[in-house]
Amino acid sequence: MVDLTLNEKRLLVTLAPMGEGSATAVAAALGTTEEAAVQYAHLCADRGLAVVTRTSAKTYTLTPEGAEYREHGLPERQVLDSFEGSISMKDLQAHPLSRIGIGWLRKKGWIAITKGVAEKTGKAAPGADEVALADPKEGMPGIAELLKRNLVEEHEEVAYRIAITPEGRDLVAGGLDLAEETGTLTREQILSGSWRTANLRRYSLSTPPKRIWPGKSHPYQRIIDEVKGILLDMGFVEMQGEIVLSAFWDFDALFQPQDHPAREMQDTFYLDMKEPLPAGFERVRDMHEHGGTTSSTGWGGVWSTEVPQQCVLRTHTTPFSIRYLIDHPEPPVKAFALGRVYRREAIDPTHTPEFEQLEGIVMDEDVSFRHLLGYLKEFYGRMGFENVRFRPGYFPYTEPSVEPEVWVDGLGWVELGGAGIFREEVTAPWGIETPVLAWGLGISRVAMLKLGLKDLRQLYRSDIDWIRECPVIRKEE
Amino acid sequence: MAIISLNYAYLERLTGTDRKTILERLPMIGSDIERTFDDHVDVEFFPDRVDLYSTEGVARAMRGFLGIEEGLPEYPVTPSGISFTVDPALRQIRPYLGSAVIRNVHLDEAGIESLMGLQESLHWAIGRGRRKVAIGVHDLDKVRPPFRYIASPRDRRFVPLDFQDELSMEEILEQHPKGRDYAHLVDAFDRFPLIVDADDNVLSFPPIINGELTKVTTETRNILLDCTGTDPKSVRMAASIICTALAEAGATIESVDIDGTPYPDLSPAERIVSVDACRRLIGIDIDAEEMAALLQKMRFGAEPLPDGQVRVLVPPYRADIMHDWDIFEDVAVAYGFDNIDAALPQTFTTGKEHPIAVVENEVRSILTGLGYLEVMPFTLTSERVLYGQMRREVSPDLLRVSKPISEDQSVVRTDILPLLMEILEINCHRELPQRLFATGDIIRGVKTMQSVAAVSIHPGADFSEAYATMDALCRECGLSPEFVESADPAFIEGRRGDVLVNGKKVGVFGEVHPEVLVAFSLEHPVAALELDLRAVPGYPARPGTP
C-alpha cells in the first residue's frame, strides 16, 4: 500500500474514527467537496481499503396539469361526476374535459356506451393513479401511469456512503505519513537541493497514461512507400505524368479498339476539351486499321481521327509507360509509375472513382515471358506474398497476358493485378523493337489485404481515429 | 466480361470426361470460375475468346487441352440450294449479311436457352450492342426460300416474337422491349432492314426482333441463321461461332447462296510462324515438332516445316488470332504457365525516385515532424466544397468532367485545403486537437501539379499557429519567402497572409473564416495553410519524367 496519494491517506485517517458516514459528512470532516471525497474513496476502494455504496432516491413533483387535477380530480372523474345514471353522448361531449375524459372513462370501464348513450357502470372506485396523485411517492403502483400522462415529474437523487474496511483500519493503525507531497519538481527545488528532502509523489503504473498521438504518414501512404521502395531496390526509375490525357494516349496508343466498351462514356470520365493528335499518329491509325507493317491484321474498319482527340481523366497509368519508352528508346529501361487513376464508378465500399495503380515495365534485349514471370515472382515475394501462381489473362495491349494470383491465408488464391508483354501493335508504331514486359496492380486492393480493411472509402475519407490507431510498424495480417 | 453457365451433364457428355477433371484445368486455359452450383457452374471468359461463350465451345477447347481430341476440328459444309438476296438499298443502313442452314438440330429447353445465351454474349462482345452484328435463328420449315434481305417501309406490319398481334415496325420500336432497347440503331433511317421469305412472310426485323412465325422450339429440326451488321468481319465471325457450336452439338452445316457467294466459309486461315520467334517471346526451349504438338492441343492445325517454321491452320471461330504472338500465347498456355522456368535477367540498372515524389516525401516528413497526421482525400470533388463553402470565387482554371455520376465528384480539385476541411467535418466528434495535412495532385486548367495543405483545429487555433507553421514549413523547404497581407476570403481579414517567392504567390495561410467553419459544421477555430510545391527547390522545372 505504498502508492497511496496524500488525499487517499487523509481520507482513511478521517474515516477511521467515523467508521462509516455519508459522503457529505466525510467531505465536511475532510474539508473538501463531496465529489472529491467520493473520488478518493473510489481509489481506496480499488485497493480494498474502503467501501463506497451508492444509493438513489426518487422523488416526484406535480406538473402544472397534475397540480390542477389534484385539486379538481382527474378529467375522467370530473366528467363522470357531471351527470347521474346515463347521458347522451352529444351532451357528454359538451363537457369541457370530454376530449380527454371520455377516452379514459371507457378505458377504465366506468361507463358503457350503447346507441349514443353513456351509462355509468357503477364501477368507479378511486384508482391507484388517483391515490398516487394525492401524494406521489416512490414505489406507489399508480406512479407509472401518472408519468405516462405527464402529470408528475421524476427526480433522482444519488447519495454515497463511505465505510472503512478492516484492512483500511489496519493501515491507519500502522501509521500513515501525511507530510506534503511534491508533484512537479520545480527549478527552485533542483537548484537549491531541497528535492533531497521533498516527499516526491509516487505514481501508479496501474493508472493508464493519457494517450497521445504522433504526427505520422497515412497507413495507405506507408504501403505505397513500401511498394515504391521495393521497385527502387529492384532498379526501377519512377515515372509521373498528367492526369488529363487525350484518348489517343489513354486508349488508341495502347491498341484499344475505338469501339471497346471501356472507352464508353459510362466507364470513363470524359472532358469537354480536345488535344490535337501527336506526330506519328498515322502509324497508330495503320496499326488499328490493318496491322501496319507487322504480322497483325489490326482491328479492321476505319480509325476515327476525332475520337482520339477527346480528353479524359487517365483511366490507367499505362500511357506513361509508352510515352516513357518513346523518350527512352535505348534498352535497358526499367520504370514504374504509381498514381491515381479514374473510372466512372459510384462510391461504395468496394468502388471509388479514383484509386492508385502501379505500373511497371522492363524493356531489355532478350527478355521474354519467362522473365516477366520472374519479375512478378520477385516483386510479389518482396511484397510478402511468397506463394504466386499464374493464370492466362487478357488485356488488349499485351500478348501473352497473365493474371498473377497470390495465396492469402483465409482467402485462398487472390487475383492481384495483370501482366504481359506489350503487343507489337503497341510498340511498333514508335520504332520500339526490344520486347517490353509490363505489369499493373491496383494498390488499394493490396492495402485492403494488408490493413484488413472492408471499406475502400476509409482510405480516402478516413476516420482519423483509425489513422491514429494504426501503428507505424504493422503486424502482418 | 461474359459469364457463361455450363451445365455439368451436357459439358461432361460433350467433353468426354468428368466435371472434376474439367473444372480443375479450366482456369488454366484462361477463365475464372465465378460460382459452382449443384448442376452447373458459372465461368467468366475473356472478351477476346468469344468461341468459349457456349458449352459446345468450351468442350471443344477442353477436349484438346485435356488430350482427348487434338488438332483442327473439321466442319464440312455442303450447299443447301437455298438462296438469299441483299437489297442494294441497305448499303447505307445495314449492308452485310451472313447466313447458313443448320440441319439435324435437336434442342431441348436447356439447349435453346444455351443458344440464346450464346447469341446475347456475341451481341455484346463482337456485336457491340448489336450495332456491328446481330444474330437471328429461325425454324426453316416454317418458311419458304428463297429469302430476301430488304430495306422495308417503316409501316410494314408483322407479329414480333413473344407478341400475339401485328405491329408496324415503328410501333415495335415504341412498344416492344427489344424495340425500345435498340431503336437508336435504326431510328435515323427512312427504311428499316427486314428479312422475308418467298411468300413475303417476315422472318426478322434486324437488329431489333425476330418474327413470331419462325420461333425456334424443341420441335425445330432445321435452322436458318441470319447475321446482319455494319462490319463484314464481325458478321463472318458471328456466323462461324454459331455454326461451329451447333455442329459440335451434332448438327450439319449447309451453305446459303448470298447473291452468288456461298456462306458460311468455315475453312481455317493459314499462318506460317517462326519457332525461334516463339521461343524468344516465351522463353522456352522447344523445337518445331513440340510447338506443333502444343498448338494441336489448342485445336489448331499445326505442321512443322523444314525451315524452322510451323504452318498453323487457325479454326474459323478464333476471333482473337490477329498476330503471330496470339499463336505464341497459345503455345505458352498449352505448355503450362506453371511449367515455365521463371527467371530474372542479369541486366544492371539503378532505381531512381521521381523528383516530385522526393519533394513530396520531404514535405511529408516536415509536417509529420510538426505533429501533423496525413490524410489522402479524393481529388474529385464539387464546386460547392472547393469554392462555395470556402467563400472563394470559382477559378477559371477549374476542370469539370463532362458527365459526372454525382455532383459531389464533378470537378478536379484546384486546391487541397477544402478537402481537408471536409475531412475535419467527417471527424468533428473525434478528440481535439486535430492536426491534418495532405499532399498530392491538383489540376489547374489541364495541367497536373502538386500542392500541400495543412489544418489545425482546437480551441486555441489561431493566426499565430498558422503563421508559425507556414514559417517552419518554408524554412525546412529551403525557402526564404516574403509574407504579405492576403485577400483570400477563406480567412479572417487581418488574420491571413500570402507567401511570395520572387514576387509570385505560392501559398496562403491564416485563421479560417467563421462562415467557412460553419459551412463545414465546425465548432472550433482552424489554423490553415496551403503551399504550391512547384516553389520548392528540387521540383523539376520541366514536366514529365527526366
Side-chain angles (χ1 to χ4, degrees):
Chain A
M1 295 309 148
V2 285
D3 50 0
L4 287 181
T5 65
L6 181 60
N7 286 328
E8 291 158 48
K9 289 182 209 165
R10 286 182 53 227
L11 175 86
L12 291 175
V13 170
T14 308
L15 200 56
M18 298 168 72
E20 190 258 7
S22 71
T24 324
V26 174
L30 205 54
T32 184
T33 63
E34 201 174 317
E35 289 78 26
V38 172
Q39 189 202 340
Y40 306 154
H42 273 299
L43 291 167
C44 289
D46 290 345
R47 299 182 175 88
L49 304 173
V51 176
V52 184
T53 327
R54 181 182 186 275
T55 58
S56 77
K58 287 180 181 151
T59 59
Y60 299 88
T61 54
L62 293 167
T63 64
E65 192 186 356
E68 165 83 19
Y69 297 157
R70 178 161 68 177
E71 197 168 328
H72 303 290
L74 289 170
E76 56 270 31
R77 178 66 66 194
Q78 291 187 48
V79 176
L80 188 76
D81 292 347
S82 71
F83 68 97
E84 296 294 332
S86 62
I87 186 172
S88 77
M89 282 304 286
K90 198 169 168 239
D91 291 342
L92 192 61
Q93 277 156 358
H95 192 282
L97 288 173
S98 64
R99 212 171 44 80
I100 310 174
I102 294 176
W104 284 103
L105 283 170
R106 296 178 63 175
K107 198 170 168 193
K108 289 183 172 178
W110 290 356
I111 58 169
I113 301 172
T114 38
K115 293 179 178 162
V117 174
E119 192 173 353
K120 290 191 184 184
T121 59
K123 286 178 262 174
D129 50 351
E130 289 171 290
V131 174
L133 185 66
D135 183 18
K137 290 231 164 18
E138 191 173 4
M140 284 181 154
I143 285 287
E145 196 66 56
L146 295 181
L147 281 169
K148 235 191 282 173
R149 290 179 74 171
N150 198 28
L151 302 181
V152 298
E153 275 170 3
E154 187 175 270
H155 310 277
E156 187 176 13
E157 273 164 29
V158 175
Y160 292 93
R161 293 194 73 80
I162 305 168
I164 193 163
T165 63
E167 289 78 11
R169 276 187 203 285
D170 290 351
L171 198 67
V172 174
L176 287 170
D177 181 3
L178 295 180
E180 275 301 322
E181 285 181 330
T182 297
T184 308
L185 201 54
T186 64
R187 174 173 184 272
E188 198 280 324
Q189 283 172 314
I190 295 166
L191 292 183
S192 68
S194 66
W195 62 268
R196 292 177 200 280
T197 53
N199 183 12
L200 294 179
R201 179 190 300 158
R202 304 185 65 97
Y203 289 95
S204 165
L205 292 173
S206 61
T207 309
K210 175 181 158 50
R211 300 192 86 174
I212 56 170
W213 310 104
K216 56 186 175 182
S217 53
H218 194 281
Y220 186 29
Q221 184 63 41
R222 290 198 293 273
I223 288 176
I224 290 173
D225 289 344
E226 190 183 325
V227 172
K228 282 179 58 169
I230 291 168
L231 286 157
L232 293 167
D233 284 352
M234 287 170 69
F236 284 74
V237 173
E238 187 181 7
M239 308 179 275
Q240 287 206 5
E242 297 288 332
I243 290 173
V244 175
L245 296 175
S246 66
F248 179 85
W249 290 113
D250 201 72
F251 296 122
D252 293 276
L254 296 165
F255 201 53
Q256 288 256 31
Q258 290 193 327
D259 60 2
H260 193 280
R263 296 179 68 142
E264 281 170 20
M265 283 277 184
Q266 67 201 55
D267 294 318
T268 299
F269 284 116
Y270 278 87
L271 306 168
D272 192 17
M273 59 183 67
K274 291 188 168 189
E275 188 184 288
L277 294 174
F281 81 88
E282 298 89 349
R283 295 189 300 269
V284 170
R285 176 197 63 202
D286 291 353
M287 203 52 81
H288 279 250
E289 288 186 348
H290 52 75
T293 53
T294 69
S295 72
S296 177
T297 59
W299 296 112
V302 175
W303 187 78
S304 155
T305 53
E306 282 300 307
V307 170
Q309 296 186 38
Q310 205 64 49
C311 288
V312 301
L313 297 182
R314 67 186 182 218
T315 63
H316 48 183
T317 46
T318 317
F320 298 168
S321 299
I322 192 70
R323 287 168 80 152
Y324 189 77
L325 289 168
I326 293 169
D327 291 343
H328 301 80
E330 289 303 314
V333 170
K334 281 162 69 180
F336 77 96
L338 201 166
R340 288 235 173 129
V341 299
Y342 298 80
R343 305 277 167 90
R344 201 171 166 279
E345 305 245 28
I347 297 180
D348 70 25
T350 53
H351 296 91
T352 52
E354 47 184 301
F355 52 92
E356 279 68 18
Q357 196 181 54
L358 168 72
E359 167 92 10
I361 49 165
V362 175
M363 175 175 73
D364 199 357
E365 301 289 357
D366 300 323
V367 291
S368 66
F369 191 62
R370 172 184 177 214
H371 300 113
L372 175 64
L373 302 186
Y375 275 112
L376 290 172
K377 274 209 163 133
E378 178 71 21
F379 173 73
Y380 285 112
R382 289 184 184 219
M383 291 277 295
F385 301 110
E386 295 297 335
N387 232 331
V388 188
R389 73 172 190 183
F390 301 111
R391 253 186 338 111
Y394 169 73
F395 308 100
Y397 40 89
T398 55
E399 190 77 14
S401 304
V402 54
E403 286 188 354
E405 292 181 323
V406 298
W407 180 264
V408 179
D409 285 334
L411 292 178
W413 290 107
V414 176
E415 183 190 320
L416 211 53
I421 300 181
F422 271 158
R423 293 188 74 100
E424 205 184 358
E425 291 95 329
V426 173
T427 53
W430 312 103
I432 301 161
E433 284 171 0
T434 319
V436 180
L437 315 178
W439 78 95
L441 168 67
I443 296 296
S444 51
R445 211 178 149 103
V446 177
M448 284 178 93
L449 287 175
K450 296 244 173 201
L451 299 170
L453 277 185
K454 300 270 178 288
D455 190 338
L456 265 180
R457 292 172 293 191
Q458 184 67 271
L459 300 177
Y460 304 102
R461 288 189 175 155
S462 306
D463 178 342
I464 68 165
D465 273 7
W466 171 70
I467 306 179
R468 283 169 168 167
E469 300 280 355
C470 263
V472 169
I473 296 174
R474 200 181 58 239
K475 264 186 295 187
E476 283 298 328
E477 294 290 324
Chain B
M1 296 270 167
I3 304 217
I4 312 299
S5 285
L6 303 173
N7 175 288
Y8 291 136
Y10 190 45
L11 181 66
E12 287 179 337
R13 183 157 65 75
L14 287 174
T15 311
T17 185
D18 61 286
R19 71 190 69 174
K20 189 169 163 289
T21 310
I22 299 169
L23 289 188
E24 214 172 75
R25 298 291 292 152
L26 200 53
M28 290 306 158
I29 63 165
S31 71
D32 210 349
I33 293 175
E34 287 284 313
R35 247 184 111 179
T36 50
F37 300 86
D38 284 346
D39 62 336
H40 73 282
V41 57
D42 283 351
V43 185
E44 181 185 318
F45 290 100
F46 298 120
D48 63 328
R49 285 301 302 271
V50 284
D51 58 299
L52 299 177
Y53 288 4
S54 65
T55 315
E56 294 85 0
V58 172
R60 175 173 59 203
M62 287 312 289
R63 279 208 307 281
F65 200 58
L66 296 170
I68 297 166
E69 179 191 37
E70 300 184 358
L72 185 76
E74 305 273 356
Y75 300 105
V77 180
T78 53
S80 66
I82 291 173
S83 67
F84 221 134
T85 54
V86 180
D87 185 346
L90 285 162
R91 197 158 299 148
Q92 300 306 319
I93 303 173
R94 196 170 178 83
Y96 301 104
L97 172 72
S99 184
V101 168
I102 302 155
R103 294 205 186 270
N104 198 19
V105 176
H106 294 270
L107 293 170
D108 55 11
E109 290 295 343
I112 291 176
E113 200 149 304
S114 155
L115 179 59
M116 299 301 143
L118 173 59
Q119 260 177 276
E120 278 315 304
S121 301
L122 293 176
H123 281 157
W124 169 78
I126 56 178
R128 300 289 190 229
R130 301 195 182 186
R131 184 176 55 77
K132 290 172 88 171
V133 57
I135 303 156
V137 289
H138 309 279
D139 189 331
L140 178 62
D141 301 321
K142 296 279 168 62
V143 281
R144 201 163 64 85
F147 302 104
R148 290 180 299 136
Y149 176 36
I150 58 170
S152 157
R154 294 163 60 126
D155 56 3
R156 169 73 196 248
R157 300 178 74 80
F158 72 98
V159 181
L161 196 62
D162 301 328
F163 270 53
Q164 280 161 6
D165 302 318
E166 281 197 347
L167 291 178
S168 78
M169 291 165 88
E170 277 180 337
E171 285 167 346
I172 287 172
L173 296 191
E174 285 161 16
Q175 294 174 25
H176 199 285
K178 295 288 176 199
R180 287 194 292 269
D181 287 353
Y182 298 102
H184 63 278
L185 294 174
V186 292
D187 228 0
F189 300 110
D190 293 340
R191 288 170 163 256
F192 288 159
L194 190 73
I195 296 173
V196 292
D197 77 347
D199 304 318
D200 209 30
N201 290 313
V202 172
L203 283 79
S204 176
F205 169 16
I208 312 296
I209 190 76
N210 282 348
E212 178 69 14
L213 174 69
T214 54
K215 184 175 183 169
V216 170
T217 68
T218 51
E219 306 297 313
T220 303
R221 291 294 166 265
N222 299 299
I223 284 179
L224 177 74
L225 170 73
D226 82 76
C227 299
T228 63
T230 56
D231 175 45
K233 213 167 133 182
S234 306
V235 168
R236 195 165 58 239
M237 189 49 68
S240 298
I241 287 170
I242 298 272
C243 287
T244 59
L246 288 171
E248 290 290 336
T252 52
I253 311 297
E254 293 180 0
S255 65
V256 172
D257 178 291
I258 300 177
D259 291 331
T261 309
Y263 213 101
D265 175 7
L266 299 182
S267 62
E270 185 188 87
R271 261 181 193 268
I272 308 288
V273 299
S274 151
V275 179
D276 190 48
C278 179
R279 282 204 301 236
R280 274 187 286 117
L281 187 73
I282 309 298
I284 53 175
D285 188 22
I286 51 168
D287 60 25
E289 276 78 20
E290 287 164 315
M291 183 167 158
L294 290 169
L295 285 170
Q296 289 189 3
K297 273 173 84 92
M298 302 304 283
R299 306 308 308 261
F300 292 93
E303 177 195 350
L305 298 176
D307 53 353
Q309 294 188 305
V310 174
R311 177 170 172 264
V312 183
L313 297 176
V314 181
Y317 53 78
R318 284 297 297 266
D320 61 312
I321 305 295
M322 48 198 295
H323 186 282
D324 291 353
W325 289 11
D326 296 308
I327 289 175
F328 301 161
E329 180 181 65
D330 272 41
V331 172
V333 170
Y335 189 86
F337 284 7
D338 285 342
N339 296 325
I340 296 173
D341 181 23
L344 281 178
Q346 294 304 306
T347 315
F348 175 80
T349 54
T350 50
K352 187 170 182 296
E353 199 165 30
H354 194 281
I356 292 178
V358 173
V359 167
E360 285 187 304
N361 285 344
E362 300 297 10
V363 163
R364 246 180 224 117
S365 78
I366 296 164
L367 282 164
T368 53
L370 287 166
Y372 282 71
L373 203 58
E374 186 180 26
V375 290
M376 303 175 78
F378 286 125
T379 55
L380 290 170
T381 178
S382 67
E383 212 176 288
R384 178 178 52 80
V385 169
L386 275 188
Y387 299 105
Q389 295 189 185
M390 294 298 286
R391 304 178 78 237
R392 285 172 169 168
E393 286 288 313
V394 177
S395 164
D397 285 339
L398 178 64
L399 182 70
R400 293 179 174 82
V401 304
S402 297
K403 290 203 168 61
I405 288 186
S406 126
E407 200 52 42
D408 294 341
Q409 290 95 37
S410 55
V411 304
V412 187
R413 66 188 186 194
T414 50
D415 312 89
I416 296 180
L417 180 55
L419 283 299
L420 289 183
M421 297 300 291
E422 212 177 19
I423 302 238
L424 288 180
E425 182 175 7
I426 296 170
N427 286 285
C428 63
H429 301 298
R430 297 304 184 199
E431 187 184 330
L432 299 182
Q434 293 172 15
R435 293 192 172 89
L436 309 179
F437 80 97
T439 174
D441 292 342
I442 58 171
I443 290 191
R444 302 231 171 112
V446 293
K447 295 314 267 178
T448 304
M449 51 194 77
Q450 287 73 29
S451 175
V452 61
V455 289
S456 170
I457 184 170
H458 57 100
D462 59 8
F463 173 78
S464 305
E465 182 179 350
Y467 197 3
T469 311
M470 182 55 108
D471 176 58
L473 176 62
C474 288
R475 268 186 285 122
E476 296 301 331
C477 284
L479 292 169
S480 336
E482 197 185 335
F483 297 115
V484 299
E485 280 261 354
S486 172
D488 190 329
F491 301 94
I492 299 171
E493 193 184 348
R495 299 186 179 193
R496 58 194 177 184
D498 282 345
V499 184
L500 304 187
V501 170
N502 300 326
K504 196 165 162 268
K505 180 178 170 180
V506 299
V508 65
F509 60 93
E511 201 175 317
V512 172
H513 196 284
E515 271 179 28
V516 176
L517 300 179
V518 170
F520 286 100
S521 313
L522 299 175
E523 296 174 0
H524 297 281
V526 172
L529 63 85
E530 177 141 13
L531 180 68
D532 185 341
L533 292 185
R534 289 177 300 171
V536 177
Y539 191 96
R542 284 183 341 106
T545 302

